Amino acid sequence: METLIFYTTAFFILAAAGYVVTTMNIFRAAIGLTGVLAGIAGLYLLMNAQFLSAVQITVYVGGIMVLIVFAILLMPEASMHLRRENPKWFRFIGGVSAALVFAVLAYSITAFIGAQDAAGTSLEPAAASIREIGLALLSPGGNGFVLPFEFVSVVLIAALIGATTIAKRTPNPETKEEQE
Amino acid sequence: MNIFVKTLRGLKGLLSGMGLTFGYFARPSKVITQQYPENRNTLKLPERSQARIDLIKNAETGRYNCIACGLCVKACPNNSIELTKFKDPETKKFRPEKFVYHFERCLVCGLCVEACKFDALRMTSEFETAAWSPDDLVEILNKDDPWAHDDKSDIGQQTAPDKNEQTASPARDTDRQEHTGAEEKTIQPKDRSPK
Amino acid sequence: MESYIYRTDKLILDLTEWLTEATGSAFAAEVVKMSIAAAVLSAFVGLLAMILIYIERKVAGHMQQRVGPMRVGPHGILQTVADSIKLVAKEGLTPKNADAFIFNLAPLLVFASSFACLSFIPFSPGMTIVSFNVGLLFILGIASVGVLGILAGGWASNNKWSVLGAMRSGAQIISYELSATLALLAIVPFFGTLDFQEIVLSQQKGWWIWRAPGVGLLGFLIYTIASTAECNRTPFDIAEGESELTGGFHTEYSAMKFAMFFLAEFINIFIVSAISATVFFGGWMPFHIEGLDTLNRVFDLLPPIVWFFGKVACLVFVVMWFRWTFPRLRVDQLMHFEWKYLMPLSLINLALAAIAVSAGLYFFN
């Protein structure tokens, strides 16, 4: 039964992904992408990774997709149906590179799983509790991720400062604005 | 520091607003909506509610205060008042001969009452004015005067009770049919038999 | 039978056991259980929306010295039934040059996200349709999917007011989500879990709104403000702004599609109040005072589900009270308030909460 659910979800994801790259309407592509990301969250759920699934929905569907849609709404071209303008060999190259990426991914994943199965280290999917995840994120040492965690926070701070700088109103020296 | 004072003041304002609305919510006796057709017998209208106009009588003499000056006729934007006047031989003052009120044209704005300088007009709160035909809405307001009884069939066929009759219909230069050359007759008689 | 009302967890367990025996497999029992849950939830949603709309109109009336609906049925009880029948019977229009696919998808997105949130709410002991160890996080995530539906609906309507309303709504919901999440997050360290049932169980000795010193109350205030904004309700209803945008994102919607938006709005009010009741007011946990056993037993007489709905009803009333008292904010004031006051305040609240937890500074620990 789980297999059936998996294949249904996977088929839905693939169909949505195909729709994203083939549709000529950018807004519809965004909606399709939402479907893909939500479907992946569903797959995580199937693997009992509830935290990951929740994060996927919160960050990707609820956060990034909303921002993408928001950006699309700000574009005047959003409602236009774009026409294919690229030469045909573009599509050929795209197809070839997509096939290559697929081959590499498929090979590495099967090789990885095969090696784990052979070594008997393949782990059963388990629902990690919030406590475990938190401890792992903030503990130094072999199993800790405190260094990447701090790096990410530095990157986020940089992004925040950058955004503030760009959005800051440059004071006009000629007209004295109200200063509170 | 200023921001805290401001915040507190704002919060106080919000809370007092919430207190007011909750006060209304908690006391259903404060409801002002009237369930109209059900409470028709006990209906209480606010004092300043205004519907159709009426003439005011002097309590002592029993006469209408109106001196037929025609200010209300001029004030009315819809020409819903028509007025003929005559000189009362007793008091040597003008009195309305027929004060015809076209409620079908009236928009109850109250401008005539405002224009009246002799406290002769008022807005009543009679709001149940539905009628089967527009003609039913034409009414003679000084109906207590013996020469202007409520028999509307003679509108337009009026005979002057006095030779001093003058019309006080609007002197403005409108080319509306009712009033151009309305020196003698102001209203056309209409067939008022029920259909 | 009587004990089932109090021990709904036992009811669910017995039901599962009985179903497993009857169907022969745990999976089939689960499927049957989910189907029952879905049916019950659908009926619940319809009923809830009707009751909430009726109450909203009554509350609105009485707060403005009016009486609200009075004609259909005694005291207008059947008014919302009549309105629903009207909405179902109406013709669903799709505007010319609108993107029909997305136009029809948008209300579904909004409704589905609200509906999915309901399945995490702990109504009573053991009565949660989906029990996750990250329920709180999940509910916050799914709630933000509704924005997508609003944005999509506004864009697909091919109407500039709709797009404007959708953009305003999007900006508003994204902004206020931060404060709402941070306010809830400030309480999370106290109970150290995101599972709704465990959150409720952690309030056996007292509700977090006063057990967490100061932080609980501040968090509750911030969450109430931010969640009102997230629901697009007055005083934060600039997304709809009837007087400016003629309805905002749902200007072009009619009949059932409009009803979906409307339904989602009222479910959202319920969900927001339910989360607030669960996190700050102990969910279905009766009011207990340590040491006063007689009093506690009197409070226990009420079944937990009554406690839950009672608390939610009070919070829903507060939200309605806001709506019929406060005037609408301007767009820039709205953003100003969120980013310059509410967000820093909720961050400070979070820091204070972390200090309080690590120092063990809370009551009844």
Side-chain angles (χ1 to χ4, degrees):
Chain A
M1 192 63 204
E2 281 204 346
T3 329
L4 182 68
I5 297 175
F6 171 78
Y7 278 112
T8 322
T9 320
F11 177 76
F12 170 72
I13 294 173
L14 285 180
Y19 185 68
V20 172
V21 288
T22 49
T23 184
M24 284 290 111
N25 184 320
I26 190 164
F27 199 93
R28 287 187 173 202
I31 295 292
L33 195 57
T34 315
V36 175
L37 295 170
I40 290 172
L43 282 191
Y44 287 147
L45 269 189
L46 210 58
M47 287 188 274
N48 226 355
Q50 292 168 356
F51 181 75
L52 200 55
S53 172
V55 168
Q56 168 88 10
I57 287 188
T58 314
V59 174
Y60 282 99
V61 183
I64 292 179
M65 277 320 297
V66 172
L67 285 184
I68 288 177
V69 169
F70 217 73
I72 291 172
L73 285 186
L74 290 172
M75 295 194 308
E77 299 90 8
S79 50
M80 277 188 225
H81 282 257
L82 306 175
R83 273 181 288 122
R84 293 172 206 272
E85 284 166 355
N86 300 333
K88 278 208 169 158
W89 55 272
F90 259 54
R91 273 201 263 171
F92 177 70
I93 290 181
V96 168
S97 47
L100 270 178
V101 169
F102 178 76
V104 169
L105 279 178
Y107 174 73
S108 50
I109 289 171
T110 46
F112 180 68
I113 291 174
Q116 277 201 329
D117 280 344
T121 54
S122 176
L123 291 174
E124 276 294 303
S129 76
I130 275 291
R131 185 173 293 275
E132 288 164 32
I133 293 168
L135 286 176
L137 269 182
L138 285 179
S139 59
N143 291 325
F145 292 91
V146 72
L147 194 63
F149 185 80
E150 288 303 322
F151 269 132
V152 168
S153 53
V154 169
V155 169
L156 286 177
I157 283 287
L160 274 179
I161 293 173
T164 323
T165 319
I166 291 170
K168 202 174 75 178
R169 194 192 298 170
T170 45
N172 196 341
E174 289 174 13
T175 56
K176 282 182 184 171
E177 297 239 12
E178 81 276 28
Q179 286 173 343
E180 281 187 71
Chain B
M1 218 48 227
N2 194 17
I3 186 170
F4 287 109
V5 176
K6 267 188 182 172
T7 312
L8 282 180
R9 209 175 288 156
L11 271 180
K12 199 184 146 208
L14 291 180
L15 285 177
S16 70
M18 287 177 75
L20 184 77
T21 43
F22 190 79
Y24 287 146
F25 179 77
R27 275 170 296 172
S29 58
K30 286 234 165 192
V31 165
I32 54 172
T33 311
Q34 312 241 4
Q35 295 297 315
Y36 163 55
E38 285 87 357
N39 72 346
R40 197 172 165 195
N41 297 325
T42 57
L43 188 68
K44 273 184 202 159
L45 285 171
E47 269 178 40
R48 293 174 62 187
S49 69
Q50 51 183 46
R52 44 169 309 152
I53 61 169
D54 202 6
L55 287 176
I56 301 177
K57 262 185 183 176
N58 191 321
E60 290 168 21
T61 59
R63 285 182 179 173
Y64 291 106
N65 283 346
C66 183
I67 58 143
C69 59
L71 280 176
C72 48
V73 181
K74 282 183 186 166
C76 184
N78 285 6
N79 289 324
S80 46
I81 301 172
E82 286 175 42
L83 185 57
T84 48
K85 63 180 176 181
F86 71 98
K87 201 170 226 175
D88 193 330
E90 289 174 33
T91 56
K92 305 289 183 196
K93 278 181 184 170
F94 281 112
R95 296 182 66 182
E97 184 211 347
K98 273 196 178 168
F99 193 105
V100 184
Y101 174 42
H102 291 265
F103 189 60
E104 83 273 23
R105 293 187 214 145
C106 177
L107 48 82
V108 205
C109 59
L111 284 177
C112 47
V113 178
E114 260 175 53
C116 185
K117 290 197 167 62
F118 301 93
D119 198 23
L121 268 177
R122 68 188 172 101
M123 310 293 292
T124 64
S125 41
E126 283 172 47
F127 64 95
E128 290 174 321
T129 50
W132 289 107
S133 118
D135 303 337
D136 295 353
L137 297 169
V138 182
E139 200 175 334
I140 295 166
L141 286 187
N142 58 338
K143 49 185 169 287
D144 288 354
D145 285 335
W147 55 88
H149 50 81
D150 202 17
D151 182 13
K152 279 173 273 182
S153 59
D154 66 341
I155 290 179
Q157 299 160 10
Q158 43 196 247
T159 47
D162 192 74
K163 286 194 174 176
N164 294 324
E165 184 206 347
Q166 290 181 9
T167 55
S169 50
R172 59 171 88 158
D173 287 332
T174 53
D175 48 5
R176 288 180 198 160
Q177 210 186 349
E178 294 95 327
H179 296 295
T180 46
E183 292 295 315
E184 304 278 330
K185 293 179 179 179
T186 49
I187 304 168
Q188 297 302 315
K190 281 169 187 164
D191 178 22
R192 302 192 30 73
S193 58
K195 288 159 184 107
Chain C
M1 195 63 222
E2 191 190 321
S3 66
Y4 277 151
I5 300 172
Y6 294 94
R7 297 288 313 279
T8 36
D9 48 341
K10 201 161 149 262
L11 169 76
I12 303 283
L13 278 181
D14 288 356
L15 186 70
T16 317
E17 207 173 289
W18 182 76
L19 279 174
T20 318
E21 261 177 44
T23 53
S25 80
F27 184 81
E30 194 67 16
V31 169
V32 173
K33 227 168 71 179
M34 281 296 147
S35 319
I36 295 173
V40 170
L41 213 55
S42 312
F44 174 70
V45 162
L47 204 64
L48 181 77
M50 275 195 206
I51 292 172
L52 279 182
I53 291 170
Y54 174 71
I55 291 174
E56 167 107 62
R57 294 180 64 175
K58 274 292 183 195
V59 168
H62 279 285
M63 285 199 169
Q64 299 171 341
Q65 295 181 296
R66 300 184 287 114
V67 283
M70 284 297 274
R71 297 283 172 210
V72 191
H75 279 260
I77 283 177
L78 300 176
Q79 182 68 52
T80 39
V81 180
D83 287 349
S84 327
I85 292 171
K86 182 204 75 176
L87 273 176
V88 172
K90 268 177 104 171
E91 182 189 2
L93 294 169
T94 306
K96 205 175 169 188
N97 294 332
D99 194 328
F101 172 63
I102 294 179
F103 185 80
N104 294 327
L105 185 75
L108 278 178
L109 262 179
V110 175
F111 180 72
S113 76
S114 303
F115 192 73
C117 281
L118 269 185
S119 52
F120 296 93
I121 303 284
F123 292 101
S124 191
M127 255 178 82
T128 313
I129 291 163
V130 194
S131 189
F132 274 179
N133 61 16
V134 286
L136 189 59
L137 188 62
F138 224 107
I139 218 171
L140 291 172
I142 292 179
S144 58
V145 179
V147 186
L148 266 181
I150 291 177
L151 287 173
W155 178 82
S157 298
N158 195 28
N159 174 332
K160 57 188 166 192
W161 307 120
S162 298
V163 177
L164 268 180
M167 302 262 298
R168 282 179 173 198
S169 161
Q172 175 183 335
I173 294 177
I174 294 168
S175 312
Y176 277 86
E177 215 167 38
L178 292 172
S179 286
T181 312
L182 283 173
L184 290 178
L185 215 58
I187 311 300
V188 169
F190 288 99
F191 39 74
T193 174
L194 292 173
D195 187 328
F196 272 116
Q197 290 292 354
E198 284 176 33
I199 292 173
V200 176
L201 287 174
S202 75
Q203 307 184 58
Q204 185 101 44
K205 291 177 185 167
W207 303 343
W208 284 115
I209 187 164
W210 55 70
R211 266 183 78 187
V215 184
L217 190 61
L218 189 57
F220 171 67
L221 286 180
I222 295 173
Y223 183 72
T224 309
I225 295 172
S227 60
T228 312
E230 255 194 285
C231 289
N232 276 337
R233 282 182 68 85
T234 329
F236 305 103
D237 69 333
I238 55 159
E240 290 165 32
E242 282 124 2
S243 45
E244 301 158 25
L245 298 177
T246 62
F249 60 90
H250 58 57
T251 305
E252 298 288 352
Y253 282 91
S254 56
M256 263 327 271
K257 289 176 223 161
F258 171 73
M260 290 259 195
F261 278 126
F262 212 57
L263 219 58
E265 191 187 319
F266 279 94
I267 301 170
N268 275 339
I269 297 167
F270 177 80
I271 289 166
V272 157
S273 304
I275 294 174
S276 192
T278 306
V279 173
F280 297 103
F281 290 96
W284 45 260
M285 190 66 76
F287 182 78
H288 279 173
I289 299 173
E290 192 86 3
L292 294 173
D293 283 343
T294 338
L295 187 72
N296 292 350
R297 231 165 265 152
V298 171
F299 282 130
D300 282 343
L301 280 179
L302 279 177
I305 196 153
V306 174
W307 276 100
F308 176 77
F309 278 107
K311 288 169 188 175
V312 173
C314 290
L315 291 169
V316 166
F317 175 74
V318 170
V319 174
M320 289 182 178
W321 191 1
F322 282 166
R323 172 163 182 183
W324 298 105
T325 305
F326 297 148
R328 186 189 300 148
L329 270 76
R330 226 167 46 211
V331 186
D332 59 325
Q333 288 171 334
L334 190 88
M335 290 294 152
H336 195 77
F337 179 61
E338 158 67 14
W339 292 101
K340 287 199 173 166
Y341 300 109
L342 212 55
M343 250 263 284
L345 200 63
S346 40
L347 281 172
I348 292 169
N349 193 35
L350 182 60
L352 286 178
I355 292 169
V357 171
S358 46
L361 266 178
Y362 54 96
F363 304 114
F364 314 121
N365 52 346

